[in-house]
Amino acid sequence: MNQVAIIAAKEVTDGLRNRWIIIVTLLMAGLALILALLGSAPTGATKISALAVTVVSLSSLSIFFVPLIALLLSYDSVVAESDRGTLMLLLAYPVARWQVIAGKFCGHFALLSLAIIVGYGAAGLTIVATGGGNWADQVWSSLAGLIGSSILLGAVFIALGLMISARARERGTAAGLAIGIWLFFALAYDLGLIGLLASDAGPMLSEQATTALLLANPADVYRLFNLTGSTETAVLSGMAGMVGGNAISPYVLLALLAGWAALPLTAACMLFKGRPL
Amino acid sequence: MSTAAAIAADALTKDYGTLKALDRVSLDIRPGECIALVGPNGAGKSTLFKLCLGLVPPSAGALSVLGCNPAQGDFTALKSRVGFLPEQAMFQDSLSGTETLRFYARLKGADIALNGEILARVHLSEAAGRRVGTYSKGMRQRLGLAQALIGAPDILLLDEPMSGLDPEARRNFFQILDEEKARGAAIVLSSHILTELEARTDRVAILSRGQLKAMGSIADLRAKLNLHTRIRLNAGSQQMQRLAGHFEGRFDKTCFMNGTAVLDCAPEDKLELLKELMSADLTFENIDILEPSLEQVFAVHTAGGNQS
């Protein structure tokens, strides 16, 4: 059995055993169900499907929720093993350092994927069951896109968490850095961007520059993907005007998210390779 | 069985900034041999283990483990032939003993079916299904030993293996040690419990401040240091006065106090002194002959002095 798969399987077992991920899955499902059941109430006259409303609401929430869960999963995965004393033993086995990072990433990725698929899938099924949509609706692709892109967004922040964990010498430092990263990407970046656009320098920014600034934040890439993915969600989210006729291909946005995950993951492998024991 | 050294270090040096954790250490360990690394905290024992596992690169010198340089990438695959017990045997609390061993056996590519046998060897069969989080320190240590035994490794590196073990577990540990030696494993263990190591190890390597102060069998080390053999006698006050008179000029008066005489002599003079004591017309309540212990050998070397 491949070393990466063995380590990933252990992470999954541990995640399921300590019930952490079960709690997260229930939280996600609960949140998604509340949005699906209550959030779709005002759609009667607008001719917008309940599923579209749910997708927009969920994606807006996921920008904050998914990165937070992903960071909580991974921020201490290396540094905690170092603290506990299990890291040295693990590395005494025939395992390359990059395999440790890759194994942990795959394990956390599987856990988060499970939580998102079960949690958000429950919302979709509930809408169908309550007559808010049907299997033929075009908006189903939006829900599938939401689930897929949420998993990718999670992957980005799992990788960022691993990068922190591979570098930090103490758990407290890793926790601080994780909070900092979450605040920056989920909140501060957009506030800064809005501030920039509203400032005197705003008019000087070209459309391309604004787009580039949006794409430099994985949370905004995720937002663009989900809120401009279909005409219905774009209209509902108010993003239709912003992207106008220059909508970026959803495939490019997904590739960007994947790239955003690959970059810190590579950095985590390199940092861990140089980490003294 | 190969007679080539399982571990060979030549002027091995490891610096951490200005700190010399290991300073030109040269030693070799053969298959089927058990070596005790003794030294005070910070002597460089754990650093030597880390170097042998390729966890840190040496600053200078050469190291060969199973004929390979552990600092090179191709040593990773060879790690399946090395068993390691770290100083702090810690595991994932949420997994059971069986699951923990299965995880490590898979990483080593070892036969998982043999895990039950390994757990039985360390007397953990009954607790194998319990979460490691519920284990006592001694049980964790035994689980640590169990994972080190996975795959019948050619080299066993055991850092403080007796820490937290009760006397019965220690006896079991030494039995396992003997079995592994008989199998041909090269064993390096570090310990502070010196008295129990004396009869169990082939050679002792004394490390102090990163330097190898001495290496050899305990008998060799004693002989080299010319440590005294101590003869201790108990007798009544009248007999003690007579004894002090008999040895006047050869032993100080302070050697004969409170009904106890403490006479130090060179190991080769021990029998002569005993004969003399027996032929002197004296009555003793008790006689003890105390050979220099590993603790004394250790104390001399780590103090940086020499009694001879």
Side-chain angles (χ1 to χ4, degrees):
Chain A
M1 203 173 168
N2 181 274
Q3 311 299 69
V4 174
I6 295 166
I7 295 169
K10 182 182 154 267
E11 292 294 326
V12 171
T13 308
D14 192 44
L16 294 173
R17 191 65 58 80
N18 65 25
R19 297 191 179 88
W20 198 90
I21 203 66
I22 295 170
I23 294 166
V24 168
T25 307
L26 289 174
L27 267 174
M28 279 192 152
L31 205 66
L33 283 170
I34 289 169
L35 288 174
L37 295 171
L38 304 179
S40 57
T43 59
T46 57
K47 302 286 183 195
I48 288 174
S49 78
L51 202 57
V53 175
T54 308
V55 165
V56 170
S57 308
L58 265 182
S59 54
S60 300
L61 215 68
S62 298
I63 287 174
F64 303 103
F65 203 44
V66 171
L68 191 64
I69 293 167
L71 284 167
L72 282 174
L73 255 177
S74 61
Y75 85 93
D76 70 342
S77 58
V78 174
V79 74
E81 286 226 33
S82 178
D83 275 359
R84 206 166 43 224
T86 50
L87 187 60
M88 200 163 116
L89 181 60
L90 181 62
L91 293 176
Y93 275 77
V95 182
R97 291 200 180 198
W98 71 266
Q99 289 175 319
V100 174
I101 296 293
K104 285 182 178 291
F105 176 81
C106 291
H108 295 158
F109 183 76
L111 285 168
L112 194 63
S113 300
L114 181 77
I116 290 170
I117 291 168
V118 172
Y120 291 179
L125 290 174
T126 306
I127 289 169
V128 172
T130 53
N134 61 63
W135 295 108
D137 266 353
Q138 178 250 331
V139 82
W140 276 102
S141 63
S142 294
L143 181 65
L146 170 74
I147 290 174
S149 60
S150 295
I151 289 172
L152 270 179
L153 181 68
V156 172
F157 284 88
I158 287 171
L160 284 167
L162 281 170
M163 189 179 81
I164 293 167
S165 203
R167 179 71 183 87
R169 303 289 293 162
E170 286 175 28
R171 222 166 167 170
T173 315
L177 285 170
I179 291 169
I181 280 188
W182 181 77
L183 281 174
F184 178 75
F185 285 118
L187 294 171
Y189 189 92
D190 285 353
L191 287 177
L193 192 57
I194 291 166
L196 182 68
L197 290 170
S199 71
D200 293 342
M204 287 187 279
L205 278 178
S206 66
E207 196 178 322
Q208 284 83 359
T210 310
T211 309
L213 282 171
L214 277 174
L215 297 180
N217 179 2
D220 283 328
V221 176
Y222 172 84
R223 200 193 307 267
L224 282 173
F225 177 84
N226 283 294
L227 302 186
T228 63
S230 76
T231 317
E232 205 173 19
T233 52
V235 168
L236 188 62
S237 64
M239 295 286 277
M242 185 170 180
V243 290
N246 301 320
I248 304 160
S249 156
Y251 299 109
V252 171
L253 293 172
L254 285 179
L256 269 172
L257 273 180
W260 250 109
L263 206 67
L265 190 62
T266 310
C269 290
M270 288 166 72
L271 287 169
F272 188 47
K273 196 177 175 188
R275 184 189 176 100
L277 283 173
Chain B
M1 186 197 305
S2 166
T3 51
I7 298 172
D10 182 21
L12 189 63
T13 301
K14 178 65 190 174
D15 302 323
Y16 291 108
T18 55
L19 175 77
K20 255 193 177 10
L22 271 189
D23 188 7
R24 288 163 291 147
V25 169
S26 298
L27 49 79
D28 65 289
I29 299 142
R30 293 178 291 274
E33 190 179 28
C34 180
I35 296 227
L37 279 182
V38 295
N41 293 330
K45 303 187 295 290
S46 295
T47 301
L48 186 57
F49 285 136
K50 284 181 187 175
L51 285 162
C52 288
L53 290 162
L55 299 178
V56 291
S59 306
L63 177 64
S64 164
V65 177
L66 296 167
C68 191
N69 179 358
Q72 287 179 349
D74 52 359
F75 182 73
T76 303
L78 272 181
K79 285 182 183 174
S80 58
R81 292 171 57 195
V82 180
F84 172 57
L85 170 63
E87 189 176 357
Q88 302 282 336
M90 298 301 284
F91 304 97
Q92 200 87 34
D93 283 350
S94 60
L95 301 181
S96 70
T98 306
E99 287 170 332
T100 302
L101 222 55
R102 191 185 302 143
F103 168 65
Y104 288 115
R106 280 178 177 158
L107 283 181
K108 260 194 181 176
D111 186 359
I112 294 167
L114 297 174
N115 284 357
E117 195 183 299
I118 296 173
L119 285 165
R121 283 181 79 189
V122 298
H123 297 175
L124 269 182
S125 298
E126 281 182 27
R130 274 170 45 196
R131 287 187 183 199
V132 176
T134 65
Y135 281 17
S136 66
K137 188 178 188 304
M139 289 166 84
R140 283 171 197 261
Q141 195 71 4
R142 281 186 275 154
L143 184 61
L145 180 61
Q147 64 76 30
L149 296 172
I150 291 172
D154 295 324
I155 294 175
L156 275 170
L157 303 173
L158 311 174
D159 200 354
E160 297 290 342
M162 288 174 287
S163 164
L165 295 185
D166 60 34
E168 191 194 334
R170 277 185 200 174
R171 274 197 298 278
N172 181 48
F173 166 72
F174 283 123
Q175 189 188 329
I176 291 170
L177 217 57
D178 290 341
E179 290 164 2
E180 292 300 303
K181 262 178 68 179
R183 190 176 58 74
I187 304 166
V188 185
L189 62 92
S190 73
S191 183
H192 290 300
I193 308 169
L194 304 179
T195 45
E196 293 192 33
L197 290 177
E198 293 207 45
R200 302 290 182 168
T201 55
D202 300 305
R203 287 190 291 160
V204 175
I206 298 176
L207 283 171
S208 181
R209 292 176 187 168
Q211 292 180 334
L212 184 65
K213 295 290 184 182
M215 185 161 182
S217 69
I218 294 173
D220 285 347
L221 295 179
R222 278 176 187 145
K224 274 182 197 165
L225 287 174
N226 199 18
L227 290 171
H228 291 139
T229 297
R230 174 165 288 182
I231 297 174
R232 194 168 58 198
L233 304 116
N234 295 105
S237 58
Q238 207 176 356
Q239 295 289 323
M240 199 52 69
Q241 274 180 1
R242 287 183 59 201
L243 189 65
H246 181 87
F247 286 109
E248 194 170 358
R250 289 162 62 195
F251 289 100
D252 193 80
K253 278 182 184 172
T254 53
C255 296
F256 309 92
M257 293 183 78
N258 303 324
T260 302
V262 178
L263 309 174
D264 289 338
C265 66
E268 60 272 22
D269 298 335
K270 172 178 68 182
L271 287 175
E272 282 303 316
L273 184 59
L274 279 170
K275 274 184 201 167
E276 189 179 345
L277 284 165
M278 293 301 115
S279 57
D281 185 23
L282 293 165
T283 309
F284 305 118
E285 292 165 6
N286 187 38
I287 295 182
D288 289 320
I289 301 163
L290 307 168
E291 296 291 356
S293 66
L294 178 55
E295 303 236 12
Q296 282 172 277
V297 174
F298 174 75
V300 170
H301 280 293
T302 52
N306 195 317
Q307 268 198 1
S308 57

